Amino acid sequence: MSWPTESELTAIKEAVSKMTGRDTEEVRVVVAPYRICPLGAHIDHQGGAVSAMTINKGILLGFVPSGDTQVQLRSAQFDGEVCFRVDEIQHPVGLANKNGAPKDQSIWGTYARGALYALQTSNKNVKQGIVGCISGSDGLDSSGLSSSAAVGVAYLLALENANELTVSTTENIEYDRLIENGYLGLRNGILDQSAILLSSYGCLTYMDCKTMDHKLIQGPELEKPFRILLAFSGLRQALTTNPGYNLRVAECQEAAKVLLTASGNSELEPTLCNGLEAWATGNLEEFGKLISASGLSSIENYECGAEPLIQLYKILLKAPGVYGARFSGAGFRGCCLAFVDAETAEEAASYVKDEYEKAQPEFAKKLNGGKPVLICEAGDSARVL
C-alpha cells in the first residue's frame, strides 16, 4: 500500500499553493512516517538495544522557502496560524523554562519552534523561514505512534532543506532529541526519531541507544504476508503534561544502579538488549511470542499501562491470526499494536473493535469517529520529496 497517496500529496501541495500563490510544482513535501517498536520499547532512555520500523501512515509537511526570515504555518487538523521568525532566539518551554512562557504550551506549532531551537543550539546557520501546511494521516489517533517525533523531524528537514544545510541522519537524531529533551523537558531517548530517520521498507531497524550503532535487518520473503494492526484506546494525554513518564524513567535508572551495585558491578552502566533472530529467519510465530512477552513485561515489570490499554492488549492476543501484541508508546495512553496474518487482518480488526466496545464503552466513544482499529503495512524512512 503506497503512502503517501497521490491524492494526499495533491491535497497538501494545494493547501500550500493557496497560502502562497505559488504553483503546486514548486511545493516541496516532507514525508515523516509514524513508528512502531515491536521489541525493546522504551528502554532507549536506559541506553538499551531497541528494534523498530515505520508504518505507511504519518506526517506530511508541504512547504516552500519563505524568501525571508518569516515562518508561517497552518495545520490540516488544528485551527489558527503559527508565525515567528528564524532570527528570534528560541528558549526552552518545558521543565527548564527561562522565558516566562507557560510550562504546557499545547499549541500545535511548538515543535516548529523546537526545531529552530535545536538548529540554533547546534550553531546551524538558519537564515530563511518556510511557509507551509502540516497534516497527519486521516482516520487515526496518533497517540503512541511517535507523532511528536515525526512532527519534529518534519520541521527539521524542511528548515534544513530551505536553508540548503547539509545535515547527517545522526545529527538529526540528536537535533530531534534536543527538541524533546532540551526544548520541551521530556526525558525520553532516541528510539522514536531513530526509527523515523533510519528505517527502510522490509527491514527491522536495530539500534544500540548507548553507542547509536544501528543495522537494518532484512526479513526473508514470507510465504504468509503480515499486516500491522493498530488498536486505539481512546485514552489521550500528552507525555509532557504527565509527570509519571519522567518519574518512571528516573525510577528505572535508580533501580538499575541498585542492582548493579548489589551484583558488584557498580562501575558498569545499565543497558538492556533483545534478540532479533526470529525476524531475520522469518519466524513470525516466534517473533510474535517475543512481542507479546515484551508487552507483558511492560505491564508486570515496568508497571506501566492504564487499564484500557491492558484490556486492549489482552483482547488483541485473542484475535484471530494475531502473532503477538504489545503497547505502542509508553503505555499510558494511545494504542496497542499487533502483528497479524494478512489473510485474517480484517476479521481480527472486527473482533478487536467489538470486544473493546464491550470492555470499555466510554473510551471507545471517545475515538470521535476515527477508526478504532487500523490495518497498516511497513513503511520507509523520512525524506523530502
Side-chain angles (χ1 to χ4, degrees):
M1 185 182 297
S2 172
W3 180 78
T5 63
E6 286 300 321
S7 62
E8 288 173 316
L9 286 174
T10 298
I12 199 72
K13 288 182 177 182
E14 287 180 347
V16 177
S17 179
K18 288 179 182 178
M19 291 176 66
T20 62
R22 306 273 284 272
D23 191 276
T24 55
E25 294 299 316
E26 299 178 65
V27 178
R28 309 169 194 180
V29 179
V30 178
V31 177
Y34 300 144
R35 72 97 182 101
I36 61 169
C37 182
L39 299 172
H42 291 80
I43 59 170
D44 55 331
H45 50 69
Q46 308 292 343
V50 298
S51 68
M53 65 173 59
T54 58
I55 60 173
N56 61 336
K57 302 290 180 183
I59 297 295
L60 297 179
L61 172 59
F63 73 97
V64 294
S66 63
D68 55 26
T69 62
Q70 188 69 26
V71 173
Q72 178 187 0
L73 299 167
R74 294 179 185 173
S75 168
Q77 280 76 38
F78 300 101
D79 295 330
E81 190 170 88
V82 170
C83 296
F84 59 95
R85 301 194 318 272
V86 296
D87 56 356
E88 296 173 351
I89 301 301
Q90 301 298 315
H91 300 283
V93 298
L95 301 179
N97 185 3
K98 298 178 182 178
N99 63 350
K103 181 178 178 179
D104 174 25
Q105 287 196 348
S106 58
I107 60 170
W108 55 267
T110 300
Y111 277 79
R113 293 184 176 89
L116 178 58
Y117 165 84
L119 293 170
Q120 289 176 339
T121 302
S122 304
N123 296 316
K124 292 296 181 180
N125 190 16
V126 180
K127 293 185 175 180
Q128 183 170 211
I130 58 173
V131 180
C133 180
I134 192 164
S135 177
S137 291
D138 290 333
L140 77 154
D141 169 14
S142 59
S143 302
L145 299 173
S146 296
S147 57
S148 58
V151 169
V153 166
Y155 285 131
L156 286 169
L157 294 182
L159 287 169
E160 291 161 3
N161 182 276
N163 287 275
E164 299 181 342
L165 299 176
T166 301
V167 180
S168 70
T169 299
T170 301
E171 287 177 304
N172 271 328
I173 290 171
E174 172 61 15
Y175 297 164
D176 196 76
R177 187 196 65 77
L178 282 173
I179 297 174
E180 304 255 13
N181 295 175
Y183 188 70
L184 295 172
L186 179 61
R187 293 183 62 185
N188 57 346
I190 59 172
L191 162 63
D192 300 340
Q193 61 269 44
S194 297
I196 292 165
L197 287 160
L198 295 171
S199 289
S200 180
Y201 179 75
C203 297
L204 190 65
T205 304
Y206 171 88
M207 183 161 189
D208 184 324
C209 293
K210 178 175 165 52
T211 65
M212 293 186 68
D213 292 336
H214 78 280
K215 58 183 176 181
L216 299 175
I217 302 174
Q218 178 73 52
E221 289 293 328
L222 300 172
E223 293 182 8
K224 297 173 65 177
F226 71 92
R227 294 292 182 266
I228 299 163
L229 289 187
L230 298 178
F232 301 97
S233 68
L235 180 61
R236 302 182 186 184
Q237 184 175 15
L239 288 177
T240 49
T241 64
N242 184 351
Y245 180 78
N246 280 355
L247 179 62
R248 188 58 47 81
V249 173
E251 289 173 340
C252 191
Q253 290 173 338
E254 182 61 28
K257 290 177 182 177
V258 170
L259 289 171
L260 285 172
T261 300
S263 69
N265 294 305
S266 59
E267 299 302 315
L268 296 178
E269 293 186 26
T271 60
L272 302 171
C273 60
N274 282 294
L276 304 171
E277 183 179 352
W279 171 265
T281 57
N283 189 341
L284 287 180
E285 287 79 9
E286 182 61 25
F287 188 64
K289 290 178 182 178
L290 291 170
I291 294 172
S292 299
S294 179
L296 186 61
S297 177
S298 293
I299 297 168
E300 295 186 348
N301 298 330
Y302 202 64
E303 296 182 354
C304 70
E307 185 59 30
L309 280 139
I310 294 173
Q311 287 185 309
L312 197 50
Y313 161 76
K314 292 178 179 179
I315 291 169
L316 279 164
L317 293 180
K318 297 177 182 178
V322 165
Y323 296 116
R326 61 158 296 119
F327 300 147
S328 183
F332 297 111
R333 60 168 184 151
C335 66
C336 291
L337 68 91
F339 277 58
V340 61
D341 186 331
E343 293 184 358
T344 60
E346 293 286 353
E347 183 184 356
S350 179
Y351 173 86
V352 173
K353 174 182 177 296
D354 292 343
E355 292 300 310
Y356 187 66
E357 286 176 350
K358 295 175 189 176
Q360 291 286 347
E362 293 304 313
F363 280 109
K365 289 178 183 177
K366 292 182 179 181
L367 292 169
N368 296 327
K371 295 178 181 178
V373 185
L374 198 65
I375 301 172
C376 300
E377 297 180 24
D380 213 334
S381 62
R383 59 207 181 273
V384 181
L385 301 180

